[in-house]
Amino acid sequence: MEWIRRQRYLIDFILSSLLRRKGKNFGLLLVYTLVVFMLASVMLFTHALKREVGNVLQASPEIILQRTEAGRHALIPADYLEKIGRLRGVTGRKGRLWGYFYDATVKANYTLMVADERELADTEVIVGSAIARARGVGPGDYLTFRSHDGIAYSFMIRELLDSDTELFSADLVLMSERAFRVSQGVTGGGYTDIVLSVSNPRELSKIAEKLTQRLPDTRPILKQEILRTYDAIFSWRQGILFVLLAGAIMAFVIFAWDKASGLSAEEKREIGILKAIGWETGDVLQMKFWEGAILSVTAFFTGYLLAYLHVFYASASLFEPVLKGWAVLYPAFRLAPVVDGLQIATLFFFTVFPYVVATIIPIWQASVTDPDAVMR
Amino acid sequence: MLLNPAIMALILVSFVVLLMLLVAAGFAIHLLRFWDMASGSERQLRLERRTYLISTLLAWAFAAELVSLLLYVYNAESMSGQFVGAMCATGVLNVNAWGWPTLFLKVAVFFSGATWLTLNALDNRGYDYPLIRFKYGLLLLLVPLVATETWLQLRYFLELQPDVITSCCGSLFSANDRGVAGEVAAVSPRWAMWSLYLSGALVLLAGLFYHRTRRGGLLFGLFAMVAFLIALVAIVSVISPYIYAHPEHHCPFCILKSGHGFAGYLLYIPLFAATAWALGVAVVSPWQRISSLSEAVSTSGTRLVRRSLMMFVIFYLSASGFVYNSTLVMQGVWW
């Protein structure tokens, strides 16, 4: 109880002393908050993107089988579905048809895909919302594609894809199999790739091994590998940005060091008086500790809160181009907030820890000054 | 090497902490040579002033070490997606030979740091700094420990190869596996449970004995250390399977996840705190006879032993609670 009361008085004293020197402390607080804000924005944004990718890929098939020809992705003949034979653990298999289409009018690439389960008529398509935005069309309107042999085909837009999957469906066009084959010239019954569903993740690597043995000209791509790659890429991009921001952190450390060591004559006199009226070195250190703690907590929370607003309400407009990449048909999406201990601890080490290390020695120097030396 | 912010933070912190310790060690050597309480010389005055700096520096260094221990585990947990075969922190620590030794060293640094800080706080309460040579001598021993930790951690992160197939908790902690972790899981649950309660009873009795008579502080610390190790074994061998409600899942990290109600925090925080305070009792209690410290020893000894006992009680209650409330029934198999 005694201890808590003591700390309360110290904090009270510190707050009034901080407020007495508004200009100096406000400057430090501003820079500190800015550093936290930048790093926290990068962090919140990449974590949210990672989570988003993970969520979207949860529903994707466990194995994608592609045929390669001279090392390049080629169409896979339909009889490969039979050739795979019975594989224990595989619960479903299906040939997929998809491709890309360059639309010269908006200078963008679309992803075309056959969606049997949507039961589209041969003249109907379903499009992603970014395409609808770019072309200024909506359900009921017509979309015209120039086919592989130069003939124009018009499709009626039956509906738009949900905007909550926009991260992956922004540039998607769903059509019927016949429409796809005729307009893209994929005749002869081949598929783009084959997807396999496997219910037990532990059997994945064995099944992949069997597939490469039975069909030597194919390569299986596992969902886990895709997830792992995304995870590594986002961590890496985040790391690059942090390295770039290291300069800013260093500048901040020097700034904090300078602020803490360049005590004004008035502050020195204040410490001298405190010591003259009976404060010990330990007390002054404790007071300075509270000063740092108050500044750090304020800067950390303000910076983190601002970063949160920036990322989840202003779509991280400052860092977007680096972290997401860019495209003509860019998805507009709202990220789901993700906050975890790892982020906060990392952020702490990049901001509060350097600040503390930079200020320990100046603070100590201030606290051991003799009262008579400064008051004289 | 993976360029990941958490890894960069961990490496940065361990180097800065090492630097802080080296500064402190340089001062310690200086102090061991020139300290003379009777002298009123300029140098002695400077040394006395500098002790404040060293105390502050080390308090921050060890606080940073504690957070870095947490970050290390969180980071291992979060990277599990990037390694083939790793499903949680266990698999990531297993990617190369340095993962586990780094973790153990981090735990060791945490306990030594906490103990040193307790001793330092005690010494500062005696007007003539009676333990100053002893504590700065001890400080010199801490430097190689932290240096080894920094080195091992650096090697661990530099040698992380994302394409290595690691074995994860399912196979690592399964009973028919070889290696330390396998041995720990293979400890019979019956034996682990009995040892847990026996060591718990011993440590509580020793603590109460110290509290009543002010004697046996060292013994209490020793029992606490043994109880700590047995508790870790028991968490892997018995308590985790009960929390997961799965007799073959022994992972000590997955219990920290939300899927298991963050049960691990209720086990690890009291356990680590109790052991750190008990070690504090062990380093504080032998100095009762020094006249300038005897008052401080009895007040801080009482406070430390009370806190430690309370934390041990919380740990044993929560461990028993998890076993009691689990849906896993092993009567006839384990018991």
Side-chain angles (χ1 to χ4, degrees):
Chain A
M1 249 19 261
E2 170 68 30
W3 186 84
I4 293 175
R5 225 178 50 221
R6 196 183 135 85
Q7 307 305 319
R8 256 185 48 205
Y9 289 139
L10 270 175
I11 295 175
D12 196 38
F13 177 81
I14 283 300
L15 281 178
S16 54
S17 124
L18 282 175
L19 290 177
R20 247 178 291 137
R21 284 182 285 276
K22 278 197 200 79
K24 175 182 170 176
N25 293 312
F26 186 71
L28 180 62
L29 193 66
L30 195 72
V31 175
Y32 203 158
T33 310
L34 203 66
V35 169
V36 175
F37 166 77
M38 285 194 302
L39 293 175
S41 297
V42 174
M43 206 155 220
L44 284 169
F45 191 55
T46 37
H47 276 249
L49 271 184
K50 259 201 242 183
R51 172 72 61 92
E52 193 81 359
V53 169
N55 284 347
V56 170
L57 286 179
Q58 273 321 312
S60 94
E62 279 74 21
I63 301 181
I64 298 171
L65 192 67
Q66 294 183 339
R67 192 170 79 91
T68 53
E69 220 171 63
R72 294 176 59 87
H73 180 194
L75 289 182
I76 193 161
D79 62 339
Y80 272 46
L81 272 174
E82 272 71 59
K83 268 204 205 163
I84 293 172
R86 221 185 87 78
L87 277 177
R88 203 179 287 272
V90 175
T91 51
R93 59 183 113 152
K94 189 170 151 269
R96 287 199 307 188
L97 272 172
W98 56 270
Y100 300 115
F101 175 78
Y102 179 70
D103 185 352
T105 47
V106 291
K107 298 193 176 63
N109 266 309
Y110 299 163
T111 305
L112 304 183
M113 196 164 186
V114 171
D116 293 329
E117 68 284 356
R118 300 267 182 166
E119 291 172 355
L120 288 160
D122 291 344
T123 54
E124 281 178 344
V125 287
I126 299 178
V127 300
S129 25
I131 296 181
R133 268 200 307 274
R135 296 275 296 237
V137 290
D141 292 339
Y142 282 86
L143 201 61
T144 308
F145 293 146
R146 216 173 108 94
S147 76
H148 70 108
D149 46 8
I151 302 167
Y153 288 97
S154 284
F155 296 97
M156 194 191 77
I157 299 175
R158 196 172 83 182
E159 56 188 296
L160 297 184
L161 286 164
D162 281 348
S163 53
D164 46 315
T165 57
E166 198 174 326
L167 188 55
F168 280 73
S169 66
D171 63 345
L172 198 60
V173 178
L174 299 180
M175 47 176 46
S176 75
E177 182 172 344
R178 189 163 155 254
F180 181 86
R181 287 191 188 280
V182 169
S183 67
Q184 302 306 311
V186 186
T187 44
Y191 292 112
T192 314
D193 54 23
I194 290 176
V195 293
L196 302 169
S197 323
V198 177
S199 43
N200 184 357
R202 289 187 178 196
E203 295 177 341
L204 278 173
S205 50
K206 196 72 202 165
I207 291 171
E209 192 187 318
K210 284 184 185 170
L211 284 172
T212 41
Q213 275 167 6
R214 288 187 195 181
L215 305 168
D217 60 341
T218 61
R219 62 169 178 217
I221 299 169
L222 304 186
K223 178 169 88 179
Q224 286 171 349
E225 281 173 349
I226 302 175
L227 275 172
R228 200 159 47 236
T229 313
Y230 270 117
D231 211 26
I233 283 185
F234 282 128
S235 297
W236 177 77
R237 284 185 174 183
Q238 194 184 359
I240 292 278
L241 262 183
F242 268 51
V243 170
L244 293 179
L245 290 176
I249 298 172
M250 276 312 291
F252 165 64
V253 165
I254 294 167
F255 184 70
W257 171 289
D258 191 53
K259 283 271 170 192
S261 56
L263 285 187
S264 65
E266 188 205 345
E267 281 170 290
K268 277 195 185 134
R269 218 183 59 221
E270 194 178 298
I271 291 173
I273 291 171
L274 288 175
K275 290 189 92 172
I277 59 171
W279 283 43
E280 287 172 25
T281 306
D283 297 327
V284 180
L285 275 175
Q286 214 163 41
M287 171 188 95
K288 285 285 175 187
F289 159 76
W290 276 116
E291 189 181 303
I294 289 168
L295 273 176
S296 299
V297 168
T298 316
F300 197 84
F301 278 105
T302 322
Y304 203 81
L305 193 71
L306 287 176
Y308 191 93
L309 295 176
H310 170 222
V311 170
F312 299 117
Y313 292 94
S315 353
S317 25
L318 294 180
F319 300 110
E320 221 173 5
V322 190
L323 291 170
K324 290 202 304 204
W326 54 90
V328 176
L329 292 180
Y330 212 86
F333 56 91
R334 226 8 180 331
L335 292 164
V338 190
V339 175
D340 62 20
L342 178 77
Q343 273 180 33
I344 294 182
T346 311
L347 199 59
F348 171 85
F349 276 137
F350 272 103
T351 53
V352 177
F353 184 67
Y355 174 76
V356 167
V357 174
T359 52
I360 286 179
I361 291 177
I363 284 178
W364 166 76
Q365 272 168 344
S367 67
V368 293
T369 37
D370 284 325
D372 64 314
V374 283
M375 285 197 298
R376 202 174 285 158
Chain B
M1 167 74 187
L2 296 161
L3 193 60
N4 164 332
I7 293 180
M8 298 194 304
L10 281 168
I11 292 176
L12 173 87
V13 167
S14 60
F15 273 99
V16 173
V17 166
L18 182 62
L19 194 74
M20 285 159 112
L21 244 90
L22 286 177
V23 170
F27 170 70
I29 293 169
H30 195 63
L31 183 137
L32 289 176
R33 278 178 60 200
F34 298 114
W35 183 264
D36 177 13
M37 201 58 207
S39 149
S41 68
E42 180 95 359
R43 182 165 65 200
Q44 175 64 15
L45 208 63
R46 265 208 317 271
L47 284 179
E48 278 176 35
R49 279 182 176 166
R50 195 151 272 215
T51 55
Y52 283 100
L53 173 64
I54 300 303
S55 303
T56 322
L57 217 56
L58 288 174
W60 278 107
F62 291 126
E65 275 292 332
L66 174 63
V67 185
S68 99
L69 172 65
L70 283 178
L71 184 59
Y72 187 74
V73 174
Y74 287 155
N75 176 55
E77 192 75 60
S78 84
M79 285 203 307
S80 55
Q82 296 178 21
F83 295 94
V84 181
M87 288 169 213
C88 66
T90 310
V92 178
L93 292 181
N94 245 5
V95 172
N96 61 41
W98 315 110
W100 286 98
T102 309
L103 180 69
F104 294 145
L105 268 179
K106 275 187 185 291
V107 173
V109 168
F110 164 70
F111 282 126
S112 355
T115 318
W116 193 89
L117 288 176
T118 315
L119 189 67
N120 181 45
L122 175 75
D123 185 45
N124 286 348
R125 291 173 67 183
Y127 63 89
D128 56 348
Y129 299 107
L131 304 176
I132 196 146
R133 282 174 188 281
F134 178 65
K135 78 181 183 196
Y136 281 103
L138 281 184
L139 180 60
L140 291 179
L141 295 181
L142 282 180
V143 177
L145 196 67
V146 174
T148 320
E149 187 237 299
T150 307
W151 171 239
L152 283 186
Q153 181 179 276
L154 188 68
R155 288 204 66 176
Y156 170 62
F157 285 133
L158 286 180
E159 290 175 22
L160 271 186
Q161 298 294 346
D163 50 339
V164 172
I165 294 188
T166 91
S167 54
C168 202
C169 49
S171 53
L172 179 69
F173 285 99
S174 65
N176 49 13
D177 206 37
R178 286 171 179 277
V180 184
E183 309 259 302
V184 171
V187 166
S188 100
R190 185 194 295 265
W191 187 90
M193 213 53 174
W194 276 112
S195 326
L196 179 73
Y197 284 119
L198 191 67
S199 62
L202 279 178
V203 83
L204 293 181
L205 282 177
L208 288 174
F209 179 73
Y210 176 79
H211 190 260
R212 180 149 293 183
T213 63
R214 298 270 154 275
R215 279 186 316 186
L218 275 176
L219 196 69
F220 176 54
L222 190 73
F223 279 162
M225 220 143 72
V226 175
F228 173 75
L229 294 176
I230 291 179
L232 290 186
V233 172
I235 286 176
V236 172
S237 158
V238 197
I239 301 170
S240 312
Y242 270 105
I243 295 175
Y244 304 128
H246 186 303
E248 294 300 323
H249 194 186
H250 289 284
C251 181
F253 301 111
C254 296
I255 49 174
L256 293 169
K257 288 186 190 166
S258 58
H260 306 288
F262 300 110
Y265 291 100
L266 208 52
L267 295 173
Y268 289 125
I269 293 175
L271 182 61
F272 275 71
T275 313
W277 278 323
L279 292 175
V281 172
V283 291
V284 160
S285 61
W287 313 107
Q288 183 87 52
R289 259 180 251 131
I290 295 176
S291 60
S292 63
L293 284 183
S294 68
E295 172 71 28
V297 167
S298 62
T299 52
S300 62
T302 311
R303 212 174 50 228
L304 289 170
V305 80
R306 274 189 195 152
R307 288 182 188 167
S308 172
L309 284 175
M310 201 169 75
M311 285 296 159
F312 269 123
V313 168
I314 293 178
F315 168 74
Y316 288 113
L317 283 183
S318 43
S320 313
F322 288 131
V323 174
Y324 182 77
N325 289 324
S326 170
T327 46
L328 181 69
V329 178
M330 295 305 283
Q331 265 85 356
V333 186
W334 284 356
W335 317 117

